[in-house]
Amino acid sequence: LAAAAGALGAGGMDTRVHIDRRDELGQLGATFNTMAARIQEQSAALQRESEAQYRQLFGSMSEGFCTIDVLFDDLGNPTDWRFVEVNRSFEQHAGFKVEPGVRMREIYPDIEDYWIRTYGQVARTGKAITVEEESTELGRHFFVSAYRVGGAGSCRVAVLFKDISERRAAQRRLETQFKNLDLLRKVTRAIGERQDLPSIFQIALCSLEESLPLDFGCICLLDPAEGCLIVSQAGARSQPLAAAVG
């Protein structure tokens, strides 16, 4: 009985004692078997309930989620990963559909090494990570949280992620607007600080050359008599090219 109780306490839910007597010890053994059967039934019910709750949560998540097995070569370097499970929102955020058992490089052979190294590090160290990174291969920007599933030696990693490409594009547009406003401020200040037109032109051109990827910058004035534009002034960095074209 002591050994059976220890085995039951250690998780052996199918543990039973053999009863071959009808005395008090036999009755105690029968009681133990009845109790063990009830515990096993309750444990199975709790496990089914937990699994149902997990499936409900898994299916209702708005973020993309998957579990993967990171694959390593003989030297211990991560080389790929294999999908184990994906939720319904995976395709919406990842931009592609995948079945369990498929390797990432079967679908995208040129996927960035960064992702493989990152998930490999999570599997190897057990340290969770949260990153924002772009995948040029997938054409998307992701917010990703990844953590190892299981103890030391496990290669399984859970990945929770979201496509934030639209947000990043909006941030870039906003940054461009701020740069344009700053450029306008510099030009306006230059106009206010100087009276002669050539100095104003030069300051404006310098500001443009510092802020924009220009190959050639100049200011042109309209010649009413000739009906054409005449280069009035070229930027400092544009002077060699201006001299070359005459």
Side-chain angles (χ1 to χ4, degrees), residues 114-157:
Y114 167 83
W115 297 106
I116 297 174
R117 289 196 308 269
T118 298
Y119 297 147
Q121 181 180 2
V122 172
R124 192 160 37 223
T125 66
K127 184 177 180 180
I129 59 98
T130 298
V131 297
E132 282 191 17
E133 190 65 38
E134 184 179 13
S135 170
T136 54
E137 181 69 10
L138 299 180
R140 299 191 177 209
H141 209 112
F142 297 104
F143 178 83
V144 178
S145 294
Y147 57 92
R148 186 173 68 190
V149 178
S154 172
C155 294
R156 185 155 296 181
V157 174

Side-chain angles (χ1 to χ4, degrees), residues 27-41:
Q27 292 177 358
L28 185 59
T31 301
F32 175 87
N33 287 345
T34 301
M35 179 187 69
R38 289 177 180 173
I39 292 174
Q40 184 178 23
E41 182 180 343

